[in-house]
Amino acid sequence: MNNTYSETAPAAGTRKFDVESIRSDFPILARKINGRNLIYLDNAATSQKPRQVIKSLTDYYEQTNANVHRGVHTLSIEATDEYELARSKVANFINAPRPEEVIWTRNTSESLNLVAATWAEQNVGEGDNIVITAMEHHSNIVPWQQLAARKKAELRYLAAGEDGLLDISNLESIVDSRTRLVAMTHMSNVLGTVNPVRELADRAHAVGAVILVDAAQSVPHMPVDVRSLDVDFLCFSAHKMLGPTGIGVLWGRYDLLEEMPPYMFGGDMILEVTYEDANWNKLPYKFEAGTPNIADAIATGAAVDYLNDLGMDNVWLHEQELTVYAMEKFSALNEVKILGPKDPTLRGGVVSFIHETIHPHDLGTALDQQGIAIRTGHHCAMPLIRSFDVVAAARASFYIYNTKSEIDALVNGIRETEGYFSR
Amino acid sequence: MTGGMSGLSDMDDLYEAIILDHYRSPRNTAPVEEPDIDLDVNNPFCGDEFHIQLKVDDDAVSQVGITGRGCAISQASASLLAELVKGKSTDDVHTAVDLIRRLLKGEELTDEEADVLGDIEALAGVRKFPVRIKCALLSWIGLDDALKEFSSTK
Ligand SMILES: Cc1ncc(COP(=O)(O)O)c(C=O)c1O
């Protein structure tokens, strides 16, 4: 299987990947939950933050705080430099050709909505179609449903097979000459499936369509290179990759961004305003109306530094190791059924499962009693969850600070819960 | 109360024996023929869902059937509800639903009020687990609303 993550530039890292030393960077891991050591396995929802990122926030507010791009005083210049440096770090992280292609947003959802409200608003018309997949997060479904309804366009789905993999056997007929946009998740937040982005990008481009990738679950966990993936838009959130909440990224190809109308209007995004009219500032500022989220952008830069020190190849390998281990341990739990690909190498560190007799919420409460945080519910992917004929699932998802012994604790926790409910 | 396993005994307040009993063997699940009220309620966030059917004669609930899927709390709560409403006047049902709401909000009930609820007081343990209160209340609120609507359209 030719997974796209492996086609990226090497990301070796300079720091030894030592989980104990990584763990010591995360203050929250010292917390007790219900008297037990916290075991945090809800990383697909949001990651924890290392000291380095928290410190970058406090340093900024204590040392540098000023508004950006306006004013000639020292603090404003420093704040602007740091803010723009963070943008460059993010651009390098995804191998973007130019930093101006990186637009700060609030999160993945806003990045997706931005494209829907600007590029798609201008480029999708009646009778056109938009292709998404059956394993999208609601954030990458609803904006396209709304757009399709508004434009009398068709929303098409690539199916997810029984094996949890994207079914691209009929790619040629689904992505056709009327396709304007393919919008797909790089990695499913429910199944863990890593999708063949490059293959879809090639097909999209062959019919003159544009491809957008929801990289909320991939950028935090594997090397992602927008050039080797050959995509046009990439969306992700800082909070899932060690960064703060409230900030996300839209990366777009320069020529596309140039053609797009602004998303919001106000200060910073204009070049010149008269009483009658205004014209738009250059990229990326055209899309950043008003005072931006300066502190969180800078802290996102610190998160990128942290991940680069470890090396994204090593991050991915660590999570692969945990996923292989978890799937092996889970196979001994007779009442547990894992969703998604059986082959751990085709998926990331997200393991969703259904227990035959214990509802995910009861399991979630019981594990919380043991200090173990997992996600329960529909995972913002209702259509996908329902396709398994259930209404909710449990999910354990891993990151750089998780260990095999935490997975053992999870498996024991499930066993204890089984014992409790069969008493 | 059955003692829980080592790490989980703090959950005993939530999963009292009576709750687990109703979860495993829910009461009044048979479908009601020609129901006066036939509704689905669900909480998409949890994935709890119910199908509630009632027959109302002379302003009293003569038959009830509730089926559903979801967590132990929601399913047991619905089964307790089904037991309670059978044969009750619609006013008595509203009173009981108000009591349950007050109980789960943390209010103390008088002895007479507690008597009205009987076994259902076992749900009070949910108060220690605030995120689960909605699981306990879902079927109650759904049924109460439907009954109010039914009475007002008659
Ligand atoms: C695949 C995927 N897409 C989009 C999102 C939405 O991210 P955010 O809530 O940060 O906008 C998530 C987050 O759960 C996700 O997992």
Side-chain angles (χ1 to χ4, degrees):
Chain A
M1 169 88 191
N2 148 34
N3 265 331
T4 37
Y5 60 83
S6 57
E7 299 174 12
T8 54
T14 50
R15 171 179 172 180
K16 185 163 169 283
F17 198 101
D18 171 30
V19 179
E20 279 318 307
S21 128
I22 290 171
R23 290 182 69 83
S24 68
D25 288 334
F26 289 78
I28 208 168
L29 296 180
R31 257 207 74 172
K32 300 272 185 217
I33 303 290
N34 294 315
R36 307 289 195 90
N37 291 328
L38 166 65
I39 295 181
Y40 186 76
L41 299 175
D42 194 16
N43 293 287
T46 198
S47 76
Q48 297 302 345
K49 324 299 174 198
R51 272 186 294 106
Q52 291 82 340
V53 167
I54 301 167
K55 184 167 179 301
S56 120
L57 286 171
T58 51
D59 280 355
Y60 169 74
Y61 283 123
E62 289 177 4
Q63 304 293 333
T64 320
N65 179 55
N67 213 326
V68 290
H69 306 135
R70 47 188 98 181
V72 292
H73 62 79
T74 303
L75 288 183
S76 176
I77 295 164
E78 284 180 13
T80 306
D81 287 351
E82 286 189 29
Y83 178 69
E84 292 305 329
L85 178 64
R87 192 192 307 277
S88 301
K89 287 176 181 174
V90 168
N92 287 334
F93 192 59
I94 55 172
N95 200 22
R98 310 169 64 156
E100 312 93 280
E101 295 171 335
V102 169
I103 315 287
W104 296 114
T105 61
R106 282 188 302 138
N107 47 37
T108 306
S109 303
E110 190 177 50
S111 302
L112 293 163
N113 276 278
L114 193 160
V115 176
T118 57
W119 182 88
E121 191 62 40
Q122 286 196 331
N123 288 281
V124 178
E126 189 168 342
D128 290 339
N129 68 66
I130 300 159
V131 176
I132 67 175
T133 83
M135 55 175 95
E136 300 305 318
H137 186 280
H138 294 161
S139 293
N140 199 30
I141 302 176
V142 186
W144 311 121
Q145 283 175 339
Q146 295 294 313
L147 182 92
R150 218 159 52 230
K151 298 288 186 181
K152 299 196 173 65
E154 186 191 347
L155 184 61
R156 295 183 176 175
Y157 286 87
L158 284 164
E162 290 273 316
D163 54 6
L165 300 177
L166 198 63
D167 178 1
I168 50 172
S169 56
N170 51 1
L171 185 61
E172 311 253 306
S173 61
I174 293 194
V175 178
D176 65 13
S177 62
R178 293 307 299 269
T179 304
R180 290 289 165 268
L181 176 72
V182 174
M184 64 179 300
T185 188
H186 195 174
M187 178 176 136
S188 163
N189 65 315
V190 176
L191 306 177
T193 317
V194 178
N195 285 319
V197 170
R198 179 62 198 248
E199 225 169 311
L200 269 81
D202 289 347
R203 175 64 190 162
H205 293 150
V207 298
V210 153
I211 180 164
L212 171 152
V213 173
D214 173 352
Q217 297 294 346
S218 61
V219 165
H221 302 284
M222 63 178 80
V224 171
D225 176 334
V226 293
R227 285 191 249 193
S228 68
L229 290 175
D230 198 21
V231 295
D232 302 303
F233 292 110
L234 191 85
C235 306
F236 54 100
S237 299
H239 69 89
K240 293 184 200 283
M241 51 182 283
L242 311 179
T245 53
I247 188 141
V249 171
L250 167 66
W251 169 84
R253 244 175 49 208
Y254 193 87
D255 54 325
L256 292 175
L257 294 173
E258 273 272 283
E259 291 298 313
M260 281 153 58
Y263 178 51
M264 297 210 311
F265 302 91
D268 265 358
M269 57 75 61
I270 42 74
L271 205 56
E272 193 179 23
V273 183
T274 64
Y275 282 116
E276 291 75 34
D277 205 359
N279 51 28
W280 316 138
N281 202 341
K282 61 185 197 308
L283 289 174
Y285 311 112
K286 179 170 82 177
F287 293 107
E288 294 182 358
T291 299
N293 188 348
I294 305 163
D296 291 321
I298 293 169
T300 301
V304 166
D305 288 343
Y306 192 97
L307 289 169
N308 276 335
D309 282 351
L310 292 174
M312 288 310 290
D313 279 342
N314 298 329
V315 169
W316 174 254
L317 284 176
H318 174 70
E319 291 178 33
Q320 274 282 293
E321 206 177 307
L322 292 179
T323 307
V324 170
Y325 187 77
M327 290 179 75
E328 191 185 301
K329 290 280 158 177
F330 267 58
S331 65
L333 295 167
N334 296 329
E335 291 187 284
V336 168
K337 184 181 146 223
I338 294 181
L339 307 181
K342 295 267 179 302
D343 179 350
T345 63
L346 302 180
R347 63 190 294 156
V350 165
V351 180
S352 293
F353 58 97
I354 292 162
H355 196 283
E356 269 170 32
T357 53
I358 304 172
H359 188 273
H361 269 192
D362 296 316
L363 184 61
T365 295
L367 292 174
D368 183 55
Q369 290 297 305
Q370 305 169 66
I372 304 172
I374 60 158
R375 171 78 195 266
T376 57
H378 58 52
H379 310 290
C380 298
M382 280 192 207
L384 178 66
I385 289 284
R386 290 209 179 112
S387 72
F388 298 105
D389 199 32
V390 292
V391 276
R395 177 183 74 191
S397 52
F398 314 127
Y399 211 6
I400 50 176
Y401 33 72
N402 290 124
T403 64
K404 288 182 182 167
S405 69
E406 289 181 318
I407 292 169
D408 290 339
L410 169 66
V411 171
N412 288 338
I414 296 172
R415 285 225 166 84
E416 275 214 28
T417 311
E418 288 172 344
Y420 183 87
F421 281 108
S422 59
R423 77 190 199 263
Chain B
M1 195 152 51
T2 347
M5 311 246 321
S6 52
L8 295 176
S9 51
D10 284 351
M11 296 202 307
D12 291 350
D13 288 338
L14 182 61
Y15 299 107
E16 288 219 38
I18 176 107
I19 302 279
L20 289 184
D21 179 42
H22 275 262
Y23 173 48
R24 293 196 188 107
S25 350
R27 324 291 202 262
N28 297 296
T29 54
V32 173
E33 299 220 345
E34 294 179 34
D36 296 305
I37 293 175
D38 194 327
L39 88 149
D40 291 308
V41 281
N42 69 80
N43 177 342
F45 285 99
C46 320
D48 290 338
E49 54 186 34
F50 301 100
H51 183 205
I52 301 180
Q53 294 180 310
L54 297 175
K55 208 161 175 56
V56 184
D57 290 314
D58 292 334
D59 211 39
V61 176
S62 58
Q63 283 183 60
V64 52
I66 304 185
T67 53
R69 15 182 221 178
C71 67
I73 303 302
S74 73
Q75 301 305 304
S77 175
S79 171
L80 287 162
L81 167 71
E83 258 193 344
L84 176 105
V85 298
K86 205 166 178 179
K88 288 267 190 323
S89 73
T90 53
D91 277 348
D92 285 349
V93 172
H94 300 321
T95 307
V97 174
D98 279 340
L99 286 177
I100 265 289
R101 280 192 160 129
R102 282 174 47 208
L103 179 72
L104 297 191
K105 259 201 232 155
E107 285 180 37
E108 288 303 322
L109 302 185
T110 65
D111 287 348
E112 297 88 79
E113 287 173 334
D115 282 348
V116 174
L117 293 180
D119 277 355
I120 296 168
E121 246 206 308
L123 283 174
V126 178
R127 294 186 298 193
K128 283 199 196 158
F129 297 81
V131 293
R132 306 299 300 276
I133 290 177
K134 60 182 186 311
C135 312
L137 278 179
L138 181 64
S139 57
W140 291 74
I141 291 174
L143 180 140
D144 195 37
D145 288 351
L147 212 49
K148 281 184 180 144
E149 196 184 310
F150 177 74
S151 309
S152 71
T153 55
K154 250 190 334 178

